[in-house]
Amino acid sequence: MENTTVEAREKSANSGFADGNNLKLDGSKMWNNIQYRILKSISLGSPDCCTGSVYEGKSKLAVLLGDEFLSKIPGKCIIDFGCGEGAAAVDMAQRGAKRVIGIDIREDLLQTARQKALTAGVEGSCLFASATKELADIIVSIDGFEHFADPAGSLRTMSKLLQGTGEVMVSFGPTWYHPLGGHLFSVFPWAHLIFSEEALIRWRSTFKTDGARRFSEVAGGLNQMTIKKFEKLIEGSAFNLATLELVPIRKLRPFHSRLTREFTTAIVRCHLVKRKSNGADESQALSAVE
């Protein structure tokens, strides 16, 4: 009799727990539905942001990396890591690079890039592929680190592909806490931080049919990169930060500081060099070889 009573109590408790979970799920589903309806009423299609139109008629390389970088290009072997449609790679080939290799995981973008190189007449010195074993004097990464599925892995690959005295030039943004850090999902400033991922993905599915279910699965991917995350990535990599520049959003420049940088930085720009091996590392390496 006592055992029967205990079992009944356990069943009652489990039933109550299940009911509680179901209520939470129902509440979450209802809240996501409300958010989806709000998003749909605000924007019926893809917002016109982060399209790159600001660089039309300009050299994106010159705008983001400056004249000092442009002066380093002639005669160098350069890898454009995350080259996209190849505009920057073609630009570097036209500026006298000995060889430019554009790397990207998307074959559709690589095909577009190859056509651009052909049209520009630099197809002999400007190649595009999903991977390479050729070592570079300079590696360039523009608007990639907020998209890479495995940014730590990307840094390891860069280290393997870079000459010992080489350098990596990085520029990317917006980062996750930027007003438009959600890229396509930023239907208004910081919308990607206000609405749930589920609601935003559902809204996106009304005009994009690729079946993405998470931010990381959309075309190009979004890894929710922040400035703090990026700094930690570099700390755990084979690179040192030779320089780090956080370019403020123009209208928010008066409010840009160490405390507000995640929300007021437009572009993260940095120069990476390989860490110098210490004596212990060198001894271990020599022992391994012997």
Side-chain angles (χ1 to χ4, degrees):
M1 182 71 178
E2 186 176 343
N3 288 339
T4 303
T5 304
V6 171
E7 287 177 3
R9 287 175 181 171
E10 287 179 350
K11 284 182 180 179
S12 177
N14 289 336
S15 176
F17 182 72
D19 289 343
N21 279 341
N22 288 335
L23 284 173
K24 286 181 181 178
L25 288 172
D26 289 342
S28 177
K29 187 175 181 180
M30 182 177 70
W31 180 232
N32 281 323
N33 280 332
I34 292 171
Q35 291 185 55
Y36 165 70
R37 292 181 182 279
I38 292 172
L39 285 164
K40 200 171 179 183
S41 67
I42 292 173
S43 179
L44 298 177
S46 177
D48 185 22
C49 70
C50 302
T51 60
S53 58
V54 68
Y55 300 110
E56 285 183 9
K58 304 175 184 176
S59 166
K60 192 173 182 178
L61 279 174
V63 173
L64 293 178
L65 299 182
D67 293 336
E68 184 179 350
F69 168 72
L70 298 183
S71 68
K72 297 178 180 180
I73 292 175
K76 296 294 196 315
C77 179
I78 303 174
I79 290 176
D80 184 358
F81 202 96
C83 64
E85 295 185 347
V90 169
D91 190 0
M92 288 186 282
Q94 291 176 320
R95 292 177 185 273
K98 180 181 179 181
R99 188 173 177 83
V100 182
I101 304 166
I103 298 177
D104 206 285
I105 61 171
R106 290 179 56 184
E107 184 57 34
D108 59 325
L109 298 181
L110 292 173
Q111 290 288 0
T112 301
R114 290 177 189 123
Q115 186 57 50
K116 282 186 177 180
L118 185 63
T119 302
V122 294
E123 70 277 11
S125 60
C126 189
L127 309 177
F128 295 94
S130 59
T132 185
K133 292 183 179 179
E134 190 165 344
L135 298 185
D137 303 303
I138 301 173
I139 295 178
V140 172
S141 175
I142 295 178
D143 290 339
F145 269 94
E146 75 271 44
H147 296 291
F148 295 148
D150 180 12
S154 295
L155 285 168
R156 287 192 294 271
T157 301
M158 289 180 187
S159 177
K160 292 175 184 177
L161 294 175
L162 188 65
Q163 298 278 9
T165 57
E167 56 189 333
V168 179
M169 306 299 296
V170 175
S171 177
F172 71 96
T175 53
W176 188 243
Y177 292 124
H178 181 286
L180 303 180
H183 289 60
L184 175 148
F185 297 104
S186 297
V187 294
F188 59 80
W190 291 296
H192 59 292
L193 302 180
I194 296 171
F195 294 97
S196 70
E197 182 177 26
E198 183 178 334
L200 287 163
I201 289 291
R202 184 180 173 191
W203 163 77
R204 179 184 179 274
S205 70
T206 61
F207 55 89
K208 295 285 187 180
T209 57
D210 55 9
R213 293 175 295 177
R214 301 188 65 82
F215 292 140
S216 59
E217 295 176 1
V218 303
L222 278 177
N223 60 23
Q224 303 180 47
M225 182 62 66
T226 65
I227 297 168
K228 185 177 181 180
K229 282 182 183 177
F230 181 71
E231 288 177 329
K232 285 188 174 180
L233 278 169
I234 302 303
E235 286 177 10
S237 75
F239 293 104
N240 275 325
L241 275 169
T243 63
L244 173 65
E245 181 184 7
L246 305 179
V247 182
I249 299 169
R250 192 173 302 167
K251 292 183 179 180
L252 298 181
R253 185 183 296 272
F255 309 101
H256 190 259
S257 70
R258 179 76 185 178
L259 292 176
T260 64
R261 62 181 191 160
E262 293 283 7
F263 299 93
T264 59
T265 294
I267 297 169
V268 177
R269 188 158 51 207
C270 68
H271 174 199
L272 307 177
V273 294
K274 283 189 174 183
R275 296 183 191 275
K276 292 181 179 179
S277 299
N278 58 38
D281 290 339
E282 289 175 358
S283 297
Q284 289 174 2
L286 286 171
S287 298
V289 171
E290 291 173 355

